[in-house]
Amino acid sequence: MELLRKKPIEKLIAESNGEQGLKRAISAKNLITLGIGAIIGTGIFVLTGTAAAMHAGPAIVLSFILSGLGCVFAGFCYSEFSSMIPIAGSAYTYSYATLGEFVAWIIGWDLILEYLFASSTVAVGWSGYFVSFLKDLGVTIPEKFSQAPFDHIPAKGWFMTGSIINLPAVGIIIFICGLLVTGIKESVRFNNIIVIVKLIVILLFIGFGISYINVDNWKPFIPDNAGHFGHFGVSGIFTGAAVIFFAYIGFDAVSTAAQEAQNPRKDMPVGILGSLIVCTVLYVAVSAVLTGIVNYKELNVAAPIALAIDRTGGLKWLSPFINIGALAGLSSVVLVMLMGQPRIFFSMAKDGLLPESFAKVHPRFKTPYITTIVTGLTASVIAGLLPISILGELVSIGTLLAFTIVCAGIIILRKTHPNAPRSFKTPFVPLFPILGILICVAQMISLPLDTWLRLIIWMAIGIVIYFSYSRKNSHLAKEKEKLS
């Protein structure tokens, strides 16, 4: 069947060894910092408070552990794939080799949703901290220029907020987009600096915040269910995990940079698993301190850590550092998300599933500049118009779907290519991939129905594009025509 035609593993490996236009300039250390740069951001500085207040309460700690566990299983699978097939494209490329062209298109289209809305989500979080930071300096940005003009509440539906556009969110995306066009090495250096800054700030918050914890704020640790699935109770832990899950997609973003890694077969597993372990520990620690300082019911704000610092009274001196750390941290997440999206486009265009212009590389900077600019402009419009709650849920369901398919792909690959060279092997196959699938699917089921409907609409658009353009322009299809 045409829909199940696969790109040979041997061909992908040959492409990874050949000259594809992108510059190999990223070391193992830089891959880890890219992962940390992408993972430590909105999850800690924004969504921790939202998920605790709306879904899990103090048990948000368990939500992070649950999400981290699912990511560990998926991370092993990503590591095996990226060490075997060190080429740009992440889960899209892996699916093309194992599950066929149509599934690869679906996952590629899903990744476009994931990265596009992830960068927009984080930019909205960045805007909240930027406004707070300027306010501390005596500068006030009017709400009509710092809030989304549209919002959505399940009980109320969509409504107008009275704002015009979230201007700071638009501005940070445009700035990062320009940086990414100028070169991967420059972008990595920028990321390394801000990762150091935000790690220092996070460790300061944990270290000094412990002494201000009021254990009464952890009672009840798992609040009683409010009468609706996902609103506290055990179901709230799962929904909380699903909402904050997209914060972990940093290691997926690391895999999109495989074609620019200096020694991908060795360095990719180190970058993926190393960043994942560091960040899970930090997430659990921060969420515990945060819910210990402030009652979870009060944490549904744009800058929850800044709120916690204010509540301590004795840590006011840390407030400007927290804002600086948050701004730095969220900037690096926007950078890595905007870096990942164009490389998905690049890979799909290389295979003929998207127009060839998307595969163009800048003659001087050696970056996929056209797709970077298109991604940046689209993400800036989304960030300027939509609220963080809607954006975060869309990213989470896209991420969970990608992880599920990658885990399934490893099981299939072990049967179809048992002797293919692997510098890293997922342990306990098929147990680990199956556990990864189960945890991811459980979290997907926990997301609101509206989120599923938006995913279905997005996928329907993608399927129309595939059958009207991609199927007949696929390089595999054209190769088959030449042979027939």
Side-chain angles (χ1 to χ4, degrees):
M1 283 183 66
E2 289 184 359
L3 299 182
L4 298 179
R5 58 194 173 208
K6 299 172 184 175
K7 194 168 184 180
I9 292 281
E10 297 74 19
K11 187 173 183 178
L12 285 167
I13 293 173
E15 286 181 7
S16 72
N17 292 328
E19 178 56 52
Q20 295 294 311
L22 298 179
K23 187 176 181 181
R24 290 200 179 275
I26 309 178
S27 66
K29 180 181 71 175
N30 289 332
L31 286 170
I32 292 176
T33 57
L34 276 175
I36 294 173
I39 299 171
I40 297 294
T42 306
I44 275 185
F45 292 111
V46 181
L47 289 184
T48 303
T50 303
M54 303 296 290
H55 302 291
I60 188 66
V61 171
L62 300 181
S63 296
F64 274 115
I65 292 172
L66 179 64
S67 283
L69 193 59
C71 285
V72 166
F73 295 130
F76 279 123
C77 298
Y78 267 91
S79 295
E80 179 170 332
F81 266 128
S82 62
S83 64
M84 282 183 66
I85 312 170
I87 192 168
S90 182
Y92 157 75
T93 302
Y94 311 151
S95 300
Y96 213 159
T98 57
L99 301 170
E101 184 175 278
F102 182 66
V103 175
W105 168 264
I106 291 294
I107 197 64
W109 190 246
D110 172 67
L111 287 170
I112 291 171
L113 170 78
E114 175 185 319
Y115 284 109
L116 192 62
F117 282 83
S119 54
S120 302
T121 305
V122 180
V124 174
W126 186 93
S127 174
Y129 275 93
F130 183 69
V131 170
S132 174
F133 179 66
L134 290 184
K135 191 174 182 180
D136 289 343
L137 298 177
V139 179
T140 301
I141 298 180
E143 278 196 10
K144 64 180 180 179
F145 293 119
S146 61
Q147 299 288 334
F150 305 101
D151 204 347
H152 180 271
I153 297 175
K156 186 178 180 182
W158 287 96
F159 61 93
M160 301 288 289
T161 65
S163 297
I164 298 174
I165 192 171
N166 192 333
L167 206 55
V170 173
I172 187 61
I173 289 178
I174 298 298
F175 171 75
I176 295 293
C177 180
L179 182 66
L180 285 167
V181 168
T182 60
I184 187 66
K185 186 175 285 188
E186 291 73 18
S187 301
V188 167
R189 286 172 182 164
F190 175 76
N191 179 70
N192 289 346
I193 293 170
I194 54 185
V195 163
I196 291 170
V197 171
K198 69 179 175 182
L199 286 180
I200 290 173
V201 169
I202 288 169
L203 292 173
L204 284 173
F205 173 72
I206 295 170
F208 287 100
I210 287 175
S211 59
Y212 290 90
I213 289 175
N214 178 0
V215 294
D216 289 338
N217 287 327
W218 288 339
K219 300 174 183 177
F221 187 69
I222 303 178
D224 293 335
N225 185 268
H228 304 283
F229 184 90
H231 289 271
F232 309 111
V234 174
S235 66
I237 295 172
F238 278 88
T239 301
V243 168
I244 55 90
F245 193 86
F246 97 90
Y248 279 105
I249 68 175
F251 71 81
D252 179 279
V254 170
S255 70
T256 68
Q259 207 161 324
E260 291 152 286
Q262 293 172 350
N263 186 3
R265 287 180 174 82
K266 177 184 175 183
D267 296 344
M268 294 307 297
V270 173
I272 290 171
L273 296 173
S275 58
L276 179 59
I277 292 168
V278 170
C279 295
T280 300
V281 172
L282 290 176
Y283 270 142
V284 170
V286 167
S287 58
V289 173
L290 180 65
T291 54
I293 294 175
V294 182
N295 187 280
Y296 70 90
K297 296 176 183 177
E298 304 173 53
L299 286 174
N300 190 23
V301 295
I305 291 184
L307 173 65
I309 291 297
D310 290 340
R311 288 294 174 84
T312 63
L315 293 180
K316 284 282 189 180
W317 61 271
L318 192 54
S319 184
F321 294 102
I322 291 294
N323 281 328
I324 291 171
L327 290 172
L330 297 173
S331 297
S332 66
V333 180
V334 175
L335 184 147
V336 182
M337 295 300 103
L338 287 177
M339 186 190 79
Q341 169 69 82
R343 283 149 181 81
I344 302 296
F345 274 142
F346 176 86
S347 294
M348 296 176 78
K350 278 282 185 182
D351 292 329
L353 302 185
L354 289 174
E356 288 185 9
S357 59
F358 284 2
K360 285 187 178 179
V361 175
H362 196 283
R364 177 185 170 192
F365 301 129
K366 300 297 181 183
T367 56
Y369 69 107
I370 291 178
T371 50
T372 300
I373 292 170
V374 169
T375 299
L377 291 176
T378 307
S380 64
V381 171
I382 294 170
L385 300 179
L386 296 178
I388 196 167
S389 57
I390 296 298
L391 296 172
E393 288 175 359
L394 276 170
V395 179
S396 290
I397 197 165
T399 305
L400 288 161
L401 178 59
F403 287 5
T404 300
I405 292 177
V406 168
C407 289
I410 283 295
I411 298 173
I412 294 170
L413 195 64
R414 288 291 182 91
K415 292 186 178 296
T416 57
H417 292 77
N419 299 318
R422 293 169 167 84
S423 58
F424 179 91
K425 295 184 72 172
T426 302
F428 304 109
V429 174
L431 177 61
F432 274 20
I434 289 174
L435 288 174
I437 290 170
L438 291 175
I439 292 175
C440 290
V441 170
Q443 291 179 83
M444 289 177 72
I445 293 171
S446 301
L447 284 166
L449 178 61
D450 285 352
T451 305
W452 278 92
L453 292 176
R454 294 180 195 114
L455 176 68
I456 291 168
I457 292 170
W458 177 261
M459 288 303 173
I461 295 170
I463 289 171
V464 170
I465 294 172
Y466 176 77
F467 283 103
S468 61
Y469 176 87
S470 305
R471 186 175 63 151
K472 60 186 178 182
N473 287 285
S474 162
H475 289 174
L476 287 185
K478 291 180 178 179
E479 288 174 8
K480 186 177 180 180
E481 285 180 11
K482 289 179 182 178
L483 293 174
S484 60

